[in-house]
Amino acid sequence: RKEVEQDPGPFNVPEGATVAFNCTYSNSASQSFFWYRQDCRKEPKLLMSVYSSGNEDGRFTAQLNRASQYISLLIRDSKLSDSATYLCVVNWGNQGGKLIFGQGTELSVKP
Amino acid sequence: GAVVSQHPSRVICKSGTSVKIECRSLDFQATTMFWYRQFPKQSLMLMATSNEGSKATYEQGVEKDKFLINHASLTLSTLTVTSAHPEDSSFYICSANGGTGDGAGGPDTQYFGPGTRLTVL
């Protein structure tokens, strides 16, 4: 089992659509969870942290289920500018901040 | 917000040469910096964790004699790819742990540099 596993992509959706990304992780000792966004040939940028209570930032909603070791990201009312690769990232337990990245899910929002 | 810079942004070199990449935290002190490598269509793979004033911790499969890491100050870490070969061509990205209280994503948040694209001919 991969350490952090994401939905395979790409996701091709029309503008205005709602899209959901799923992610599972294998290390039950993980404490911190994130979604990063990476544009083509650029560095990853933090989109949002993920908390057990769930959190929302505008059109983006992240959920965490520790029992199932599952993380999700929901994007509502997709914009063309949302086209990017979305990376599920997990802090790997007590290893001094080590982050493990999922393979990423590519999103393409079309007009 | 926390800013991390990398230099150079792009390098093209001949096989056998050594390449040095710098990673700087511009407005905060980073006790820990991380070096990643990303091949096309793949995700970031952690190469090593660099702690200021001590030896870097390398991930399994990463040759420490080939990828030399120095973290001499709280704002600078360097990665030197020694005797680079075409298979070392990749996107190298550093990140810095912003420490506590930064408010931007919690104490575990890492801030990424813009990356260095290395092409070895």
Side-chain angles (χ1 to χ4, degrees), chain B residues 76-87:
Chain B
L76 174 64
S77 176
T78 60
L79 167 69
T80 301
V81 183
T82 61
S83 187
H85 291 284
E87 59 266 28

Side-chain angles (χ1 to χ4, degrees), chain A residues 31 33 50-55 62-66:
Chain A
Q31 297 296 317
F33 311 89
V50 188
Y51 304 114
S52 296
S53 54
N55 48 304
Q63 297 277 355
L64 167 66
N65 184 321
R66 285 187 186 271

Side-chain angles (χ1 to χ4, degrees), chain A residues 10-14 80 82-84 106-110:
Chain A
F11 282 45
N12 297 303
V13 302
L80 297 177
D82 293 334
S83 298
E106 186 180 343
L107 172 66
S108 180
V109 182
K110 306 290 187 184

Side-chain angles (χ1 to χ4, degrees), chain B residues 54-115:
Chain B
S54 63
K55 288 183 179 180
T57 302
Y58 289 82
E59 294 299 300
Q60 193 172 9
V62 178
E63 300 174 57
K64 60 183 178 183
D65 294 330
K66 181 169 181 64
F67 299 99
L68 302 178
I69 292 173
N70 183 281
H71 193 161
S73 77
L74 288 172
T75 59
L76 174 64
S77 176
T78 60
L79 167 69
T80 301
V81 183
T82 61
S83 187
H85 291 284
E87 59 266 28
D88 297 323
S89 298
S90 187
F91 190 43
Y92 291 85
I93 309 175
C94 72
S95 71
N97 189 320
T100 59
D102 56 27
D108 297 321
T109 301
Q110 287 185 23
Y111 300 95
F112 286 84

